[in-house]
Amino acid sequence: MVWIEFGTNISHLISQISHLKNMTLEILTPDKKVYEGEATSVTLPGTLGFFEILNHHAPIISTLQDGKLVVRGGSSGKEEVFYIQGGVVECLNNVVTVLAEGITTK
């Protein structure tokens, strides 16, 4: 339980809470870093079907197939879509790393 002192700056508390909702995401290809920033969710094309990673997800490593990768709640505040050509994803300690063989945007 969190106790709030009387007179605490509410906007400061909201900024702290909203920061807790984000995880760190990196999308890399052999050539370059495509994305680095925060996200509230990432939808990925797993080899057995699409799945979503949210804040504080359990540790996971998975293979990815060609398909659409969707980043929500990123630095732009909008949904960002990438099309990857296979790869792997690791989620550990609220950091998601996608290693894609190739990638295009929209």
Side-chain angles (χ1 to χ4, degrees):
M1 176 177 271
V2 177
W3 293 95
I4 301 174
E5 292 181 27
F6 183 73
T8 302
N9 184 338
I10 297 299
S11 63
H12 176 71
L13 290 174
I14 291 171
S15 69
Q16 286 182 332
I17 292 169
S18 65
H19 179 70
L20 293 175
K21 294 180 185 175
N22 294 335
M23 60 192 161
T24 302
L25 171 65
E26 283 188 324
I27 303 173
L28 309 165
T29 67
D31 300 331
K32 63 183 175 181
K33 185 180 291 188
V34 177
Y35 183 95
E36 181 177 25
E38 293 186 345
T40 55
S41 74
V42 183
T43 302
L44 302 144
T47 52
L48 296 177
F50 282 90
F51 64 98
E52 185 172 31
I53 297 178
L54 300 171
N55 194 31
H56 300 294
H57 194 285
I60 185 175
I61 295 176
S62 179
T63 55
L64 303 172
Q65 65 181 1
D66 296 359
K68 185 166 78 168
L69 182 153
V70 181
V71 178
R72 291 181 192 84
S75 56
S76 69
K78 298 180 182 178
E79 185 175 276
E80 297 182 59
V81 177
F82 301 93
Y83 293 92
I84 64 169
Q85 290 112 30
V88 296
V89 62
E90 176 193 53
C91 176
L92 182 64
N93 296 325
N94 223 28
V95 176
V96 178
T97 305
V98 176
L99 305 174
E101 293 174 18
I103 196 164
T104 59
T105 57
K106 296 186 181 183

